[in-house]
Amino acid sequence: AQSVTQLDSQVPVFEEAPVELRCNYSSSVSVYLFWYVQYPNQGLQLLLKYLSGSTLVKSINGFEAEFNKSQTSFHLRKPSVHISDTAEYFCAVSDQGTGGFKTIFGAGTRLFVKA
Amino acid sequence: DAGVTQSPTHLIKTRGQQVTLRCSPISGHKSVSWYQQVLGQGPQFIFQYYEKEERGRGNFPDRFSARQFPNYSSELNVNALLLGDSALYLCASSRDGSGANVLTFGAGSRLTVL
């Protein structure tokens, strides 16, 4: 069975500083990887995804994540954060279990950007 | 187009009661997944339905059940409620049952069990 570990529950960072949110997964089969974001008082929404091909994927608001198969990681990075990036970030993995797919989420990392 | 809609948005029940939560997927989406999100934790997978069939089940007791209707809407039922069932219940729809599809989430139904 697959699982997702987000190593940091909270990450405080100053505005314009770089940030990395760590995610490791375990699965016995090929996986698809996602980062979802939940802004304050909003629902979960997709930030970026890795399905195949280039291991580096990017979002429209400057985040990027790199799929590392050997280390079973999918860390999320941004070179310079903004106050508006304050949110909870969830790493998720899906593979094909018996009879269908299911997407499993990590516990989340709360990113708090300070002025 | 309307997004994923869930009802009710909030509800309060007492221990031992039963609850039914409803979800309407995005038009054209044929798969619905249900998640439980306890405060401070990530969403926990409960069920996935595709074309009216259960395609995945998480580690939840048999008190939890669901179904999907011909119009692809879905209901989640929880019987014999416990205090620990208090949570935000999220419904997500996707185009089909593939794990490569992005999940589009509704705003959730917040259940409080007293």
Side-chain angles (χ1 to χ4, degrees), chain B residues 12-40:
Chain B
I12 299 173
K13 295 285 188 177
T14 57
R15 282 176 294 176
Q17 285 189 312
Q18 176 264 343
V19 67
T20 298
L21 308 177
R22 296 175 177 82
C23 173
S24 293
I26 287 176
S27 177
H29 283 192
K30 298 182 178 180
S31 179
V32 168
S33 299
W34 286 96
Y35 289 84
Q36 180 195 65
Q37 188 175 21
V38 173
L39 196 62

Short mmCIF file of all heavy atoms in Angstrom, two decimals, chain B residues 12-40:
data_model
loop_
_atom_site.label_atom_id
_atom_site.label_comp_id
_atom_site.label_asym_id
_atom_site.label_seq_id
_atom_site.Cartn_x
_atom_site.Cartn_y
_atom_site.Cartn_z
N ILE B 12 -25.04 18.95 12.63
CA ILE B 12 -24.75 18.48 13.98
C ILE B 12 -25.62 17.27 14.26
O ILE B 12 -26.83 17.30 14.03
CB ILE B 12 -25.01 19.58 15.02
CG1 ILE B 12 -24.11 20.79 14.75
CG2 ILE B 12 -24.77 19.04 16.44
CD1 ILE B 12 -24.41 21.98 15.63
N LYS B 13 -24.99 16.20 14.71
CA LYS B 13 -25.68 14.96 15.04
C LYS B 13 -25.26 14.52 16.44
O LYS B 13 -24.26 15.00 16.98
CB LYS B 13 -25.34 13.87 14.02
CG LYS B 13 -25.83 14.13 12.62
CD LYS B 13 -27.32 13.91 12.51
CE LYS B 13 -27.79 13.98 11.08
NZ LYS B 13 -29.25 13.71 10.96
N THR B 14 -25.99 13.59 16.99
CA THR B 14 -25.61 13.01 18.27
C THR B 14 -25.13 11.57 18.05
O THR B 14 -25.42 10.95 17.02
CB THR B 14 -26.76 13.02 19.27
OG1 THR B 14 -27.87 12.33 18.69
CG2 THR B 14 -27.17 14.45 19.60
N ARG B 15 -24.38 11.09 19.02
CA ARG B 15 -23.84 9.74 18.93
C ARG B 15 -24.95 8.72 18.66
O ARG B 15 -26.02 8.80 19.23
CB ARG B 15 -23.12 9.37 20.22
CG ARG B 15 -21.75 9.97 20.35
CD ARG B 15 -21.13 9.63 21.69
NE ARG B 15 -21.87 10.27 22.79
CZ ARG B 15 -21.60 10.09 24.07
NH1 ARG B 15 -20.63 9.28 24.43
NH2 ARG B 15 -22.31 10.69 25.00
N GLY B 16 -24.66 7.77 17.78
CA GLY B 16 -25.61 6.73 17.46
C GLY B 16 -26.51 7.04 16.28
O GLY B 16 -27.12 6.13 15.70
N GLN B 17 -26.60 8.32 15.91
CA GLN B 17 -27.43 8.68 14.77
C GLN B 17 -26.76 8.30 13.45
O GLN B 17 -25.61 7.86 13.41
CB GLN B 17 -27.74 10.18 14.79
CG GLN B 17 -28.76 10.58 15.84
CD GLN B 17 -29.19 12.03 15.68
OE1 GLN B 17 -28.36 12.94 15.54
NE2 GLN B 17 -30.51 12.25 15.70
N GLN B 18 -27.50 8.51 12.38
CA GLN B 18 -27.02 8.22 11.03
C GLN B 18 -27.00 9.52 10.23
O GLN B 18 -27.80 10.44 10.49
CB GLN B 18 -27.94 7.20 10.38
CG GLN B 18 -27.62 6.86 8.94
CD GLN B 18 -28.45 7.68 7.96
OE1 GLN B 18 -29.47 8.25 8.32
NE2 GLN B 18 -28.00 7.77 6.73
N VAL B 19 -26.09 9.62 9.28
CA VAL B 19 -26.00 10.84 8.47
C VAL B 19 -25.80 10.46 7.00
O VAL B 19 -25.16 9.44 6.68
CB VAL B 19 -24.84 11.74 8.96
CG1 VAL B 19 -23.49 11.09 8.72
CG2 VAL B 19 -24.90 13.10 8.29
N THR B 20 -26.36 11.27 6.13
CA THR B 20 -26.17 11.12 4.68
C THR B 20 -25.65 12.42 4.11
O THR B 20 -26.24 13.48 4.32
CB THR B 20 -27.48 10.75 3.97
OG1 THR B 20 -27.95 9.48 4.46
CG2 THR B 20 -27.26 10.64 2.46
N LEU B 21 -24.52 12.35 3.44
CA LEU B 21 -23.90 13.50 2.80
C LEU B 21 -24.00 13.32 1.29
O LEU B 21 -23.87 12.20 0.78
CB LEU B 21 -22.44 13.62 3.22
CG LEU B 21 -22.18 13.61 4.73
CD1 LEU B 21 -20.68 13.66 5.01
CD2 LEU B 21 -22.90 14.75 5.42
N ARG B 22 -24.21 14.43 0.58
CA ARG B 22 -24.45 14.37 -0.85
C ARG B 22 -23.41 15.15 -1.63
O ARG B 22 -22.90 16.16 -1.16
CB ARG B 22 -25.86 14.86 -1.16
CG ARG B 22 -26.93 13.98 -0.54
CD ARG B 22 -28.34 14.51 -0.74
NE ARG B 22 -29.33 13.60 -0.19
CZ ARG B 22 -29.67 13.55 1.09
NH1 ARG B 22 -29.11 14.37 1.97
NH2 ARG B 22 -30.58 12.68 1.51
N CYS B 23 -23.18 14.70 -2.85
CA CYS B 23 -22.16 15.31 -3.70
C CYS B 23 -22.60 15.27 -5.16
O CYS B 23 -23.03 14.22 -5.65
CB CYS B 23 -20.84 14.55 -3.53
SG CYS B 23 -19.53 15.06 -4.67
N SER B 24 -22.47 16.41 -5.82
CA SER B 24 -22.71 16.46 -7.27
C SER B 24 -21.40 16.80 -7.96
O SER B 24 -20.81 17.85 -7.67
CB SER B 24 -23.76 17.52 -7.61
OG SER B 24 -25.02 17.13 -7.12
N PRO B 25 -20.93 15.96 -8.86
CA PRO B 25 -19.63 16.21 -9.50
C PRO B 25 -19.73 17.26 -10.58
O PRO B 25 -20.82 17.68 -10.97
CB PRO B 25 -19.29 14.83 -10.10
CG PRO B 25 -20.62 14.24 -10.42
CD PRO B 25 -21.54 14.70 -9.32
N ILE B 26 -18.58 17.66 -11.06
CA ILE B 26 -18.53 18.56 -12.22
C ILE B 26 -19.15 17.84 -13.41
O ILE B 26 -18.96 16.63 -13.59
CB ILE B 26 -17.08 18.95 -12.51
CG1 ILE B 26 -16.57 19.92 -11.44
CG2 ILE B 26 -16.91 19.55 -13.89
CD1 ILE B 26 -15.12 20.28 -11.60
N SER B 27 -19.87 18.59 -14.23
CA SER B 27 -20.49 18.00 -15.41
C SER B 27 -19.43 17.33 -16.27
O SER B 27 -18.39 17.93 -16.58
CB SER B 27 -21.20 19.10 -16.21
OG SER B 27 -21.74 18.58 -17.39
N GLY B 28 -19.69 16.08 -16.65
CA GLY B 28 -18.74 15.34 -17.47
C GLY B 28 -17.81 14.45 -16.68
O GLY B 28 -17.14 13.59 -17.26
N HIS B 29 -17.73 14.67 -15.38
CA HIS B 29 -16.90 13.82 -14.52
C HIS B 29 -17.69 12.59 -14.12
O HIS B 29 -18.84 12.70 -13.68
CB HIS B 29 -16.43 14.58 -13.28
CG HIS B 29 -15.32 15.53 -13.56
ND1 HIS B 29 -14.59 16.13 -12.54
CD2 HIS B 29 -14.79 15.99 -14.71
CE1 HIS B 29 -13.66 16.91 -13.07
NE2 HIS B 29 -13.77 16.84 -14.39
N LYS B 30 -17.05 11.43 -14.22
CA LYS B 30 -17.75 10.18 -13.94
C LYS B 30 -17.26 9.49 -12.67
O LYS B 30 -17.78 8.45 -12.30
CB LYS B 30 -17.60 9.23 -15.13
CG LYS B 30 -18.21 9.78 -16.42
CD LYS B 30 -18.08 8.78 -17.55
CE LYS B 30 -18.74 9.34 -18.82
NZ LYS B 30 -18.62 8.38 -19.95
N SER B 31 -16.26 10.05 -12.03
CA SER B 31 -15.72 9.43 -10.83
C SER B 31 -15.86 10.38 -9.64
O SER B 31 -15.67 11.59 -9.77
CB SER B 31 -14.24 9.09 -11.03
OG SER B 31 -13.69 8.52 -9.85
N VAL B 32 -16.23 9.81 -8.51
CA VAL B 32 -16.34 10.56 -7.26
C VAL B 32 -15.55 9.85 -6.18
O VAL B 32 -15.62 8.62 -6.05
CB VAL B 32 -17.82 10.70 -6.84
CG1 VAL B 32 -17.92 11.22 -5.41
CG2 VAL B 32 -18.57 11.62 -7.78
N SER B 33 -14.79 10.63 -5.43
CA SER B 33 -14.05 10.09 -4.28
C SER B 33 -14.48 10.83 -3.02
O SER B 33 -14.79 12.03 -3.08
CB SER B 33 -12.54 10.26 -4.48
OG SER B 33 -12.08 9.56 -5.61
N TRP B 34 -14.48 10.13 -1.91
CA TRP B 34 -14.82 10.72 -0.62
C TRP B 34 -13.61 10.67 0.30
O TRP B 34 -12.88 9.66 0.35
CB TRP B 34 -15.97 9.95 0.03
CG TRP B 34 -17.31 10.20 -0.59
CD1 TRP B 34 -17.93 9.45 -1.55
CD2 TRP B 34 -18.20 11.28 -0.30
NE1 TRP B 34 -19.15 10.00 -1.87
CE2 TRP B 34 -19.34 11.11 -1.12
CE3 TRP B 34 -18.15 12.37 0.58
CZ2 TRP B 34 -20.42 12.00 -1.07
CZ3 TRP B 34 -19.23 13.24 0.62
CH2 TRP B 34 -20.34 13.06 -0.20
N TYR B 35 -13.43 11.76 1.04
CA TYR B 35 -12.33 11.87 1.99
C TYR B 35 -12.85 12.42 3.32
O TYR B 35 -13.81 13.20 3.35
CB TYR B 35 -11.24 12.82 1.48
CG TYR B 35 -10.44 12.27 0.33
CD1 TYR B 35 -10.91 12.37 -0.97
CD2 TYR B 35 -9.23 11.63 0.55
CE1 TYR B 35 -10.17 11.85 -2.04
CE2 TYR B 35 -8.48 11.12 -0.50
CZ TYR B 35 -8.97 11.22 -1.79
OH TYR B 35 -8.24 10.71 -2.83
N GLN B 36 -12.18 12.01 4.39
CA GLN B 36 -12.44 12.58 5.72
C GLN B 36 -11.22 13.40 6.13
O GLN B 36 -10.10 12.90 6.07
CB GLN B 36 -12.67 11.45 6.73
CG GLN B 36 -12.96 11.94 8.15
CD GLN B 36 -12.80 10.84 9.19
OE1 GLN B 36 -11.70 10.33 9.41
NE2 GLN B 36 -13.91 10.47 9.82
N GLN B 37 -11.44 14.65 6.52
CA GLN B 37 -10.34 15.49 6.97
C GLN B 37 -10.60 15.94 8.39
O GLN B 37 -11.47 16.79 8.63
CB GLN B 37 -10.12 16.69 6.05
CG GLN B 37 -8.86 17.46 6.40
CD GLN B 37 -8.56 18.59 5.43
OE1 GLN B 37 -9.44 19.07 4.72
NE2 GLN B 37 -7.30 19.02 5.38
N VAL B 38 -9.84 15.40 9.31
CA VAL B 38 -9.89 15.82 10.71
C VAL B 38 -9.00 17.03 10.86
O VAL B 38 -7.96 17.14 10.20
CB VAL B 38 -9.43 14.67 11.62
CG1 VAL B 38 -9.33 15.13 13.05
CG2 VAL B 38 -10.36 13.47 11.49
N LEU B 39 -9.39 17.95 11.73
CA LEU B 39 -8.64 19.19 11.91
C LEU B 39 -7.17 18.93 12.15
O LEU B 39 -6.80 18.12 13.01
CB LEU B 39 -9.23 19.97 13.10
CG LEU B 39 -8.84 21.43 13.20
CD1 LEU B 39 -9.33 22.21 11.99
CD2 LEU B 39 -9.38 22.04 14.49
N GLY B 40 -6.32 19.57 11.34
CA GLY B 40 -4.89 19.43 11.51
C GLY B 40 -4.27 18.24 10.80
O GLY B 40 -3.06 17.99 10.92
#
